[in-house]
Amino acid sequence: MRKKLFIKTYGCQMNVYDSARMTDVLAPLGYVPVDQPEGADMIILNTCHIREKAAEKVYSELGRLRPLKRAREEDGGEMILAVGGCVAQAEGDEVRRRAPWVDVVFGPQAYHRLPDMVSQVTRQAIVDTEFPVEAKFDFLPEESSPRGAAAFLTIQEGCDKFCTFCVVPYTRGAEFSRPLGDVLAEARRLVENGTSEITLLGQNVNAYHGNGADRRPRSLADLIRELALIDGLHRLRYTTSHPRDMDQALISAHGDVEALMPFLHLPVQSGSDRILAEMNRRHTAAEYRSIVERIRLARPDIALSSDFIVGFPGETDAEFQSTLELVADVEFASAYSFRYSTRPGTPAADRDDQVPEDVKSARLNELQALIDRQSRAFNEATVGRELQVLLERPGRHSGQLVGRSPYMQAVHVHADDSHLGRIASVRIEAAMPNSLSGSIVGNDVGRLRSVDAA
Ligand code: SAH
Ligand code: SF4
Ligand code: F3S
């Protein structure tokens, strides 16, 4: 019997990947994905715990879902309500204490057991936040449906770095890399089903060290070179990287692997060495600048992106100025910045030198204004150029398609659906604050670098 499954995904791309895999796991039980919660037989909230706001959103959503569930049960139906992901892992039983109408709570390493949980739920509520003795990947079925032109593929999970502000080592567990052969097999299946761009995912993706067939570990650079040989896989990206693991082999791959797109998200968090040390980032601002220099030597047109935290405990005005200086020097194509958010159980949360919220907000505004100027300048510099755009999906207006440039810019074009899933040469005509628009000047799947790239 067909049952309706609604999944709402919060947080990072790894959760997007996990949500798709949950659909695969539940497909044999007759669940088909739907895009609204009304009338669903099962609802999963795949949650994020990274900042307080992200975590609190889940409880307000659970409040909204409560009457839906009740109405369905009053009609004699059933609605299984499940909370997965990083809030589930961090809070476990607490989720059911705050929202007793939740039936299942499961962590990011437990979702391969969803069929068992679903079959037991009629008898009792389930909380499964065990970290696995076995890796869940060994138990996941093949993809139940095509993933589209651009797809995510998780190759590495967890984190052993323990930055003092961050919950990820506690919610995702210890660092783990999938074997090379498994990643290659999944990538080939994706390509057979129409994917032409793959973004490799991991909380520390460039710490990848999965075993090859000979049981010797391979690096991310090795993996990228193997993936680039797959016929029909035209574009590769990876995220998120840590500066400590940005080795020369990976930097060099940006210089000569044609499928590897000229975009790198490399979070630095702060430009102050004292703050970086307090964050336990284990690199300095100078080391970050040196990576940037070397990667631009390998790939002069690379677009750089980063994450910043402002108002980490004890951050002074002068230390914040060092962050602004680093941004001014590097010139980012885009970047995310956040107010420091205290996370229960992390070392920095207990410090008594927390920065007042109004100071954090003022710093955030200043940093974001600078980053906005840089991303606008980056986008404007592409006007007049011809870029290769992978047209991924229909736009908001009819007759419009949206895709990504090699540099990760969103690009809108007027084109009919026959262009969907194809890589087209697009003449860029205008730059908006967060996207570009242009016209197709030719379909050219084989030629991937922008024609006027350095
Ligand atoms: N693994 C990645 C990032 C993981 S979380 C890395 O090491 O860079 C994504 C981003 O959220 C981080 O880069 C950081 O900028 C931000 N973040 C993490 N914890 C935070 C906190 N407690 N408060 C504010 N921002 C935070
Ligand atoms: Fe969090 Fe640091 Fe690990 Fe990134 S490297 S996931 S910021 S602990
Ligand atoms: Fe959030 Fe978990 Fe990703 S905390 S950012 S969903 S790893």
Side-chain angles (χ1 to χ4, degrees):
M1 197 188 74
R2 267 167 64 107
K3 293 183 216 156
K4 292 178 183 162
L5 169 67
F6 175 72
I7 305 183
K8 182 160 182 172
T9 309
Y10 301 82
C12 64
Q13 292 102 322
M14 304 206 49
N15 266 9
V16 176
Y17 175 85
D18 288 341
S19 291
R21 298 304 263 142
M22 289 173 203
T23 316
D24 299 336
V25 168
L26 290 167
L29 276 66
Y31 284 99
V32 288
V34 294
D35 51 17
Q36 56 190 29
E38 287 79 10
D41 299 284
M42 179 165 184
I43 295 182
I44 300 175
L45 302 184
N46 193 12
T47 63
C48 173
H49 200 244
I50 202 78
R51 286 168 291 275
E52 193 181 351
K53 237 200 226 156
E56 283 306 313
K57 266 190 210 158
V58 174
Y59 289 101
S60 38
E61 185 64 25
L62 286 172
R64 278 193 291 275
L65 291 174
R66 187 182 196 177
L68 271 189
K69 181 176 162 81
R70 197 182 292 147
R72 189 151 169 91
E73 282 164 0
E74 278 166 9
D75 282 352
E78 188 191 42
M79 179 189 279
I80 299 174
L81 185 52
V83 177
C86 292
V87 173
Q89 187 63 44
E91 300 190 5
D93 264 339
E94 178 67 17
V95 174
R96 291 203 70 252
R97 256 196 300 279
R98 286 182 65 177
W101 56 97
V102 169
D103 302 297
V104 185
V105 177
F106 63 97
Q109 309 305 352
Y111 64 78
H112 57 296
R113 290 195 289 268
L114 268 171
D116 283 345
M117 296 182 222
V118 168
S119 67
Q120 288 171 39
V121 82
T122 42
R123 278 173 274 136
Q124 68 193 89
I126 312 287
V127 176
D128 186 348
T129 51
E130 287 300 305
F131 282 129
V133 212
E134 79 281 357
K136 72 174 171 237
F137 290 105
D138 292 343
F139 294 87
L140 293 175
E142 292 191 1
E143 303 69 34
S144 58
S145 57
R147 293 297 197 251
F152 292 134
L153 200 176
T154 294
I155 64 166
Q156 180 277 332
E157 274 223 45
C159 180
D160 296 338
K161 296 237 170 17
F162 291 93
C163 299
T164 55
F165 52 80
C166 183
V167 292
V168 170
Y170 313 98
T171 63
R172 292 271 171 174
E175 208 183 285
F176 166 80
S177 293
R178 297 177 66 189
L180 185 91
D182 291 8
V183 174
L184 292 174
E186 187 168 330
R188 285 195 197 100
R189 286 198 306 269
L190 290 171
V191 172
E192 275 162 24
N193 286 305
T195 295
S196 55
E197 171 178 310
I198 291 179
T199 302
L200 306 172
L201 298 181
Q203 270 90 17
N204 268 280
V205 74
N206 60 340
Y208 177 81
H209 58 271
N211 282 345
D214 56 7
R215 302 202 161 267
R216 286 214 314 272
R218 299 296 194 279
S219 69
L220 179 60
D222 297 333
L223 173 63
I224 284 171
R225 287 180 191 280
E226 294 269 346
L227 286 165
L229 300 175
I230 297 177
D231 211 24
L233 180 50
H234 298 301
R235 291 175 152 202
L236 283 166
R237 305 179 189 275
Y238 58 94
T239 200
T240 295
S241 297
H242 192 288
R244 291 247 336 162
D245 299 311
M246 208 61 219
D247 61 21
Q248 193 54 46
L250 183 55
I251 292 175
S252 302
H254 278 278
D256 58 42
V257 178
E258 213 175 323
L260 188 56
M261 290 292 100
F263 174 85
L264 174 66
H265 181 63
L266 190 64
V268 62
Q269 316 298 356
S270 168
S272 151
D273 287 344
R274 194 190 72 86
I275 294 294
L276 287 171
E278 298 276 320
M279 287 175 163
N280 192 31
R281 291 290 291 180
R282 293 181 291 165
H283 63 80
T284 62
E287 281 161 349
Y288 188 87
R289 284 181 164 92
S290 147
I291 295 168
V292 168
E293 211 169 282
R294 283 182 286 135
I295 197 142
R296 281 184 169 147
L297 214 60
R299 185 72 208 239
D301 66 327
I302 195 147
L304 293 170
S305 158
S306 197
D307 289 342
F308 294 91
I309 294 178
V310 301
F312 182 82
E315 185 189 65
T316 64
D317 272 327
E319 286 162 344
F320 172 64
Q321 288 303 319
S322 309
T323 299
L324 293 176
E325 275 162 32
L326 182 128
V327 175
D329 291 350
V330 171
E331 294 193 35
F332 291 97
S334 62
Y336 300 93
S337 42
F338 312 98
R339 269 182 288 264
Y340 169 71
S341 169
T342 50
R343 306 309 294 128
T346 60
D350 298 329
R351 291 177 52 151
D352 52 17
D353 52 354
Q354 301 292 331
V355 173
E357 287 303 318
D358 58 333
V359 175
K360 286 187 203 169
S361 297
R363 287 179 189 167
L364 187 69
N365 287 342
E366 198 175 345
L367 177 59
Q368 286 185 338
L370 176 59
I371 291 167
D372 280 355
R373 282 200 296 280
Q374 292 188 346
S375 53
R376 214 167 307 141
F378 183 86
N379 284 345
E380 274 161 13
T382 55
V383 174
R385 286 179 59 183
E386 203 178 294
L387 299 181
Q388 305 288 301
V389 177
L390 172 58
L391 296 165
E392 290 171 36
R393 56 177 194 281
R396 230 175 298 155
H397 308 290
S398 74
Q400 192 189 49
L401 299 180
V402 192
R404 297 259 173 207
S405 78
Y407 310 108
M408 269 306 269
Q409 298 151 295
V411 183
H412 299 260
V413 298
H414 280 286
D416 60 61
D417 286 358
S418 66
H419 294 275
L420 263 183
R422 306 201 55 168
I423 295 171
S425 287
V426 172
R427 166 89 46 205
I428 305 301
E429 286 152 356
M432 280 73 71
N434 298 310
S435 63
L436 306 172
S437 63
S439 300
I440 295 182
V441 290
N443 267 330
D444 193 351
V445 177
R447 230 169 76 242
L448 292 165
R449 288 196 178 187
S450 58
V451 285
D452 53 348

